[in-house]
Amino acid sequence: MFLGPILVVLGPIWTFCTSRVGLPLVVAGCIVLFYEGLPIGPLRYIPYAGPVLAGFVDGRVDREYAAGQLNERLVWQEKQRRAELAAAAKAKAKQAEIDAAAQELADQADADTLRIADLEDRIRQQKDEDNGPNAAGDTAGACKSGRGIPARLSIGIDAVGR
């Protein structure tokens, strides 16, 4: 009663599938379906439902393709991670080099400050000696005597850059 119309349609299909010509065609179709899967086209891109549906109807070729994509993505991510680590190590080494150069510059500036103060003190002492009791107001006499900054002091000033 209820199965009558179904058996009318399925009877000849079953007879063909079990025949000498139909059986090899069914087996070949099953093999192709196993390897290639059912084509679902744009249904694959439906959010949430598409990947689930693709998991049911994809064939072996699609599964292997997805596994290959995953492997390549993981290899690429590992290479990216290693490159980022190398870049970070290189940047850290450069920063350490910059910090060392900055510290050396600061130390040199401190040493220069001390040398400049020492040289200015020597200049004051030399002026005090030149302006001693015998040169009370005799600026013309001081110029005629040929006394200026001593060579040792002049070389020290040149070394500092003044």
Side-chain angles (χ1 to χ4, degrees):
M1 97 170 134
F2 178 68
L3 294 175
I6 296 173
L7 290 177
V8 169
V9 173
L10 292 180
I13 293 174
W14 180 255
T15 304
F16 174 75
C17 289
T18 56
S19 70
R20 179 179 266 186
V21 175
L23 186 61
L25 288 175
V26 169
V27 170
C30 288
I31 290 172
V32 169
L33 186 65
F34 173 74
Y35 280 106
E36 295 297 327
L38 290 175
I40 59 173
L43 296 177
R44 182 179 308 273
Y45 304 116
I46 296 173
Y48 304 111
V52 172
L53 183 61
F56 286 125
V57 297
D58 277 350
R60 183 173 180 196
V61 173
D62 292 328
R63 287 191 297 268
E64 291 298 320
Y65 181 77
Q69 278 184 330
L70 178 64
N71 281 340
E72 287 298 316
R73 186 178 310 118
L74 292 175
V75 166
W76 181 81
Q77 287 174 348
E78 180 64 23
K79 285 182 181 178
Q80 281 295 108
R81 187 184 66 80
R82 288 183 182 176
E84 287 171 0
L85 288 175
K90 188 175 181 181
K92 187 175 181 181
K94 284 287 188 184
Q95 187 61 43
E97 188 178 315
I98 290 170
D99 292 343
Q103 184 62 40
E104 183 180 330
L105 182 64
D107 293 343
Q108 183 66 32
D110 291 342
D112 286 347
T113 302
L114 293 175
R115 280 195 297 181
I116 289 171
D118 181 48
L119 290 173
E120 287 175 349
D121 188 42
R122 287 184 190 175
I123 289 172
R124 260 188 247 105
Q125 289 175 0
Q126 185 68 34
K127 284 183 180 178
D128 289 345
E129 289 176 10
D130 288 346
N131 295 334
N134 61 353
D138 190 18
T139 55
C143 289
K144 289 180 186 174
S145 67
R147 296 184 68 186
I149 298 177
R152 182 178 58 121
L153 189 59
S154 178
I155 291 171
I157 291 174
D158 286 340
V160 172
R162 280 191 162 188

